[in-house]
Amino acid sequence: MPKNGRLRRSDRRTASLAATIAAMNNAASSSPNILDAAQACSAAGGIESAVGATARTRFDVASRRLDGERIRSRLSGACRGWEIEVVETTGSTNLDLLARLRENVACTPTVRAAMNQTAGRGQRGRVWQSQPGDSLMFSLAYVMSGGPADLAGLSLATGVAVIEGLSDLPLSAPQALGLKWPNDVLLRGGKLAGILIETVPAGPGRIGIVIGIGLNLRHADDVAARIDSAAVSAASAPSAAGASSPSASPIPAVPATPPAALESVFPEPDMSTVLVALVQRLTAMLDRFATQGFASFREDWEAMHAYGGASIRIIEHGRDILHGVALGVDGRGCLRVATPQGERAIASGEVSVRLLDPAPGVQEARR
C-alpha cells in the first residue's frame, strides 16, 4: 500500500472486482440463477449489477413469504397475550380456529396465518380466489362477553381496523381506500379485501369469534381471471334439482365487484409487514369493541363509506329488491337507504350491494 494509505485507482478497481466475484460465488452456491444473471449483466458490461439483481430477486422472494419469527417479534409489544401462528398450508384458518374454540372456549386469543389455504372461504360459502404469495390470508380467534346480538356491527368495525392498518403503511394513495357495506374493503372501487366472521358459543354470557381476512397483494388481473373461471364453472354445473330442467329458474348471477391489489398503491408489498400492520389494528379493535360496541366505530365507518351518497341497488338471491341512495349506517350497523317511499334500514344477510350506475367518478370518490 502506498505511504499515504490510499489505494491507487487500479488497485481499487481490482479490489472491487474481487469483492464482487466473491459475493457472486457465495450467492451462486445458494441460488443457481445468479449465473444466468451474471452472464446477462456481463454481456451488457455490468458484472456488479448481477449482484444487485440477485439481491432484488431475493428481496422479492422474501416479500412473498410470511416470516413467523419477524412477525412474532414485531407484534410482541402490541399483542401481549396473543398466540401468533404462521403455517405453510392449511385447509382454512377460520375452520382451524373454530375447531379450537369448540374444543376449548378458554383458549388464548390467536392469530393464525397461512401461506396457502386449500379451502379458503368467502361470504356465502364462496371460494376465496388466491395464489400463495399474491394474497394475504389469516384469521383471529377471540372470546368476549355477550351474545350474537352484541356483535352487531362487528364486520364494519373490522373494516375500519383494516383500513387503519393499511393506512399505517407508506401507501401512495391512502385516500383511495374505502368500505363497502357490510364487509368489503375497496381500493379505487375494486375489491381489495374481504371479511368473514363466524361464531361459536363459549359458555353462559360469552361468545367465541373468528374473523377471517383475505387481502389481494398482487396481480389483480389474475384474480379477476380466476373469479371469471369459477363463475363459468358454477353456472355450467347442474344443480341438485336439475338445472337443465325446462321448469328450472336459475338465479341470475350478481355482477362481481372487480378485484384490486395493494401493489397499485404499495409497490412490492411485503407480506409480513402488511400482516403486522393489520394485526396491530385488529387486536386493538377487538378489545375496544368488547367494551364499547359498534357505537365507537360508527363515525369512522361513515367517513370511509365508499358508496356514501351514491345510488345503489340491493340484491337478494340474484335479484334487485331495492334501489335508493346510500346514506350511512345506524347504531346496529344496518345500511340506511333513502328511497322514494322513505328511509329503509337493511340488515346484513343474504344481500349484496352494487352501484346502480357504476360511473368512475362515484367509484373513485375517495381517490
Side-chain angles (χ1 to χ4, degrees):
M1 180 179 292
K3 293 180 180 179
N4 61 9
R6 296 180 181 176
L7 289 172
R8 293 190 303 271
R9 182 177 300 175
S10 60
D11 292 334
R12 289 199 301 270
R13 284 199 301 267
T14 301
S16 175
L17 181 57
T20 298
I21 292 172
M24 289 173 60
N25 288 335
N26 291 335
S29 65
S30 59
S31 177
N33 292 335
I34 183 63
L35 299 177
D36 295 335
Q39 291 170 357
C41 293
S42 178
I47 294 179
E48 285 92 340
S49 64
V51 176
T54 303
R56 287 192 299 273
T57 298
R58 286 178 172 174
F59 170 79
D60 187 55
V61 171
S63 71
R64 294 169 180 263
R65 304 284 306 171
L66 288 169
D67 184 336
E69 183 177 347
R70 177 157 63 98
I71 291 165
R72 281 184 283 272
S73 175
R74 293 180 60 183
L75 290 175
S76 60
C79 299
R80 289 190 178 91
W82 282 77
E83 186 75 22
I84 310 297
E85 302 176 354
V86 177
V87 298
E88 185 67 23
T89 301
T90 190
S92 162
T93 53
N94 257 42
L95 290 178
D96 292 346
L97 294 183
L98 284 169
R100 195 170 306 175
L101 283 173
R102 291 189 181 103
E103 293 172 1
N104 177 19
V105 295
C107 75
T108 301
T110 303
V111 175
R112 184 171 175 84
M115 278 295 301
N116 183 38
Q117 292 196 45
T118 59
R121 297 169 299 138
Q123 288 293 318
R124 293 180 280 280
R126 297 190 184 102
V127 175
W128 180 260
Q129 301 296 331
S130 65
Q131 288 292 325
D134 287 348
S135 295
L136 175 61
M137 298 165 289
F138 65 101
S139 302
L140 303 92
Y142 188 86
V143 177
M144 68 173 64
S145 299
D150 297 298
L151 301 183
L154 178 58
S155 65
L156 282 68
T158 301
V160 170
V162 169
I163 285 193
E164 289 176 339
L166 293 174
S167 298
D168 290 336
L169 300 169
L171 307 185
S172 61
Q175 71 277 11
L177 295 168
L179 295 173
K180 180 170 80 70
W181 184 90
N183 44 35
D184 286 348
V185 179
L186 305 184
L187 175 61
R188 293 180 177 140
K191 182 171 179 176
L192 176 66
I195 298 164
L196 176 65
I197 297 180
E198 299 177 280
T199 63
V200 295
R206 294 177 66 77
I207 188 165
I209 303 156
V210 174
I211 301 175
I213 309 284
L215 185 142
N216 300 320
L217 296 174
R218 302 174 176 85
H219 302 154
D221 290 344
D222 291 349
V223 177
R226 289 194 296 272
I227 291 173
D228 290 344
S229 177
V232 170
S233 299
S236 60
S239 68
S244 59
S245 170
S247 61
S249 179
I251 296 175
V254 178
T257 302
L262 189 64
E263 66 178 351
S264 66
V265 292
F266 186 35
E268 300 180 1
D270 178 78
M271 290 186 73
S272 299
T273 298
V274 176
L275 177 63
V276 167
L278 294 178
V279 169
Q280 287 176 331
R281 291 289 189 167
L282 287 163
T283 55
M285 177 276 296
L286 283 167
D287 289 340
R288 180 176 160 197
F289 192 96
T291 58
Q292 302 178 36
F294 176 62
S296 64
F297 297 91
R298 180 179 175 184
E299 183 177 346
D300 288 335
W301 191 93
E302 294 199 331
M304 300 173 181
H305 188 191
Y307 291 179
S311 296
I312 59 169
R313 45 194 292 233
I314 306 296
I315 306 166
E316 185 175 36
H317 302 306
R319 294 178 173 83
D320 286 23
I321 61 171
L322 184 70
H323 290 179
V325 174
L327 299 178
V329 292
D330 64 18
R332 299 173 299 151
C334 296
L335 181 66
R336 297 169 50 234
V337 182
T339 75
Q341 292 75 37
E343 184 175 314
R344 295 275 301 275
I346 308 298
S348 60
E350 297 298 313
V351 298
S352 300
V353 178
R354 297 291 184 271
L355 290 171
L356 187 58
D357 180 16
V362 175
Q363 284 191 337
E364 302 177 10
R366 291 181 50 84
R367 175 175 290 183

